[in-house]
Amino acid sequence: MYTFLVVDDESLVRENIVFLLRQSSHYPFHILEAEDGDTAMDMLAVQSVDVLLLDVRMLRVSGLQLMEWLHDKNWEGIYAVISG
């Protein structure tokens, strides 16, 4: 089973992405949510995630900073950048 992490500081956007993911797949997967880059880093430090969907512009830690952190950690998952 794949695990997705959706990271966006706008709760409505994040909830809609989660809804669309659940509606568009017949395969089982687990979806996690983080409201900012700091929370995502904490989650990624302890949780295995296969696919990361992240916003570019967030408070404190941006999506770009999160991608740099993932690169430094040699993270081997897939990520897609989303932006309104």
Side-chain angles (χ1 to χ4, degrees):
M1 179 181 334
Y2 288 103
T3 300
F4 286 71
L5 175 56
V6 179
V7 186
D8 197 309
D9 57 348
E10 295 183 43
S11 61
L12 185 58
V13 172
R14 194 173 60 247
E15 291 167 10
N16 283 328
I17 292 169
V18 169
F19 175 79
L20 290 171
L21 284 171
R22 290 203 170 127
Q23 295 300 314
S24 65
S25 178
H26 300 290
Y27 300 102
F29 52 83
H30 187 65
I31 302 174
L32 304 171
E33 298 178 50
E35 64 274 357
D36 56 43
D38 289 338
T39 304
M41 285 181 187
D42 291 342
M43 293 174 80
L44 289 162
V46 297
Q47 173 74 40
S48 177
V49 172
D50 302 296
V51 180
L52 179 64
L53 301 172
L54 63 132
D55 188 13
V56 172
R57 299 178 75 187
M58 295 182 287
L59 298 175
R60 295 192 306 252
V61 175
S62 72
L64 298 176
Q65 291 169 311
L66 181 54
M67 286 188 293
E68 288 177 12
W69 182 81
L70 290 169
H71 179 74
D72 291 344
K73 299 289 184 187
N74 296 316
W75 187 70
E76 294 184 6
I78 298 168
Y79 59 82
V81 178
I82 53 177
S83 182

